[in-house]
Amino acid sequence: MNTYRIVSDTSSDIYPSVISFEDMPRVPFYVSFDKENYKREVAEMSIDEFYRIITEDKLFPKTSCPTISDYTDVFEPILKDGLDVLCFCISSLFSGSYQSAVNAAELMKEKYPERRVEIIDSVQATAGAGLIVYQSYQMMNEGYTLDENISVVERLKHDTSIYWTVGSLKFLQNGGRIGKATALAGTLFNVKPIICMKEGELFPVENVRGTKKAVKAIISKTDKEIEGHESDYLICSFYADARSPLMDAIDEHYSDSKYTYRNDMCRVGVTVGAHTGPEVIAIAYSKKYKLYDK
């Protein structure tokens, strides 16, 4: 019987079909299109509705991180049941979600001193965080203790990365990630950025012309990172609003038996989609948890 439960903020973007909300509660981010009225991700704003608004209504969203009370509302019922909490948050370099969770944990420790609330900065987002959370969930169900789980996760998260590209640079520009001139040049010349997320930060890798070349580039760069150790990694492809036919090339490439590959784990949600827009094509990879000592 498990002695703890896993919690994640909604930035991990794991499909409920992979881990249900009942099995792993999510703490929601907020999104607004007028900077006044905010709705909770998933609970009050579905991912489909979010992308419909930014695509059809041409509105730029603004997100806000979960509050301390959002976290305590999720933590407290678990603690009341006599269980500990292992909570995962988006990279602390991107959001205040981690700090909200830490503050909530301190409050809960005062109220439930016999229980533990452990907060993990995933140094990732979307499917990168999702792969970490998914493997932590597997460890829990295989009987790993809370300390054993944390020990593996704290190393695993540094062996997890994402390579991705976007269809338009306007959302990155609106969110302050790139300048207006860069966004304009990208639009005029059909330039697609190849971006890596690792260790909690975004690293521009290169620019290519056209989405087909961009897909080839993220495959190539992923393969280069894991070359010679393909069987050591869990690989996941994912997208934002709609699955591009170009993702078939990713499926075909990773259908080789030497890879452990899934395309049904994650989808870019509101938290990250607000900054990337609806046309994301991405590959995340994470070392398999069984390769680490407990």
Side-chain angles (χ1 to χ4, degrees):
M1 181 177 178
N2 294 326
T3 61
Y4 60 99
R5 291 193 70 190
I6 294 174
V7 172
S8 171
D9 66 25
T10 49
S11 75
S12 62
D13 291 339
I14 299 178
Y15 280 129
S17 58
V18 176
I19 306 177
S20 71
F21 289 96
E22 291 75 20
D23 289 338
M24 188 186 77
R26 274 72 148 182
V27 182
F29 272 75
Y30 293 81
V31 62
S32 174
F33 290 96
D34 59 12
K35 298 183 180 180
E36 293 182 6
N37 299 295
Y38 283 82
K39 292 185 177 182
R40 292 179 296 165
E41 181 177 5
V42 179
E44 298 171 330
M45 171 67 69
S46 71
I47 297 176
D48 285 338
E49 177 64 7
F50 168 75
Y51 284 119
R52 186 200 65 77
I53 292 172
I54 65 175
T55 301
E56 296 181 10
D57 299 343
K58 310 296 184 185
L59 297 176
F60 286 104
K62 181 175 178 58
T63 59
S64 180
C65 70
T67 65
I68 295 173
S69 62
D70 288 328
Y71 276 106
T72 58
D73 286 348
V74 173
F75 292 165
E76 188 155 24
I78 298 172
L79 301 173
K80 279 185 176 180
D81 285 343
L83 300 173
D84 297 326
V85 174
L86 178 57
C87 177
F88 291 85
C89 301
I90 191 173
S91 170
S92 58
L93 296 177
F94 287 175
S95 167
S97 179
Y98 172 75
Q99 193 57 53
S100 290
V102 168
N103 292 341
E106 291 302 316
L107 290 176
M108 291 294 94
K109 288 174 185 177
E110 291 178 8
K111 194 170 182 179
Y112 301 91
E114 73 286 2
R115 300 263 60 88
R116 295 174 61 184
V117 182
E118 302 292 342
I119 312 299
I120 303 291
D121 179 348
S122 72
V123 302
Q124 274 291 338
T126 190
L131 287 175
I132 297 166
V133 173
Y134 173 72
Q135 296 205 79
S136 178
Y137 181 77
Q138 287 183 306
M139 285 187 273
M140 180 187 71
N141 287 334
E142 289 185 14
Y144 281 57
T145 67
L146 179 57
D147 285 325
E148 288 170 343
N149 202 318
I150 293 170
S151 175
V152 173
V153 160
E154 286 293 349
R155 288 170 288 165
L156 170 66
K157 70 183 188 181
H158 298 294
D159 291 323
T160 301
S161 299
I162 302 173
Y163 279 105
W164 54 282
T165 189
V166 296
S168 168
L169 297 176
K170 61 185 179 182
F171 288 90
L172 289 170
Q173 184 247 317
N174 187 72
R177 299 292 179 184
I178 60 173
K180 187 174 182 180
T182 301
L184 178 60
T187 301
L188 290 175
F189 300 107
N190 194 25
V191 171
K192 307 300 178 188
I194 307 302
I195 302 169
C196 177
M197 181 172 183
K198 190 169 188 175
E199 299 291 349
E201 297 189 72
L202 297 177
F203 301 95
V205 178
E206 69 172 302
N207 294 321
V208 298
R209 295 282 292 274
T211 308
K212 285 185 178 180
K213 288 183 179 179
V215 171
K216 289 180 180 179
I218 64 174
I219 291 173
S220 174
K221 294 186 182 303
T222 299
D223 285 355
K224 185 176 180 180
E225 291 290 323
I226 66 174
E227 186 176 7
H229 303 277
E230 290 86 356
S231 63
D232 291 347
Y233 287 85
L234 175 60
I235 304 168
C236 168
S237 66
F238 60 106
Y239 61 94
D241 184 22
R243 178 185 162 90
S244 167
L246 291 173
M247 292 192 72
D248 292 343
I250 300 175
D251 290 345
E252 182 178 355
H253 180 81
Y254 290 110
S255 65
D256 190 297
S257 60
K258 68 182 178 181
Y259 300 110
T260 303
Y261 170 70
R262 294 186 63 167
N263 61 7
D264 61 347
M265 289 187 64
C266 299
R267 175 185 176 191
V268 180
V270 170
T271 310
V272 174
H275 301 280
T276 62
E279 300 174 86
V280 174
I281 298 177
I283 301 171
Y285 58 95
S286 183
K287 205 171 209 180
K288 295 177 181 177
Y289 68 90
K290 290 190 176 180
L291 297 173
Y292 302 91
D293 294 330
K294 294 181 182 180

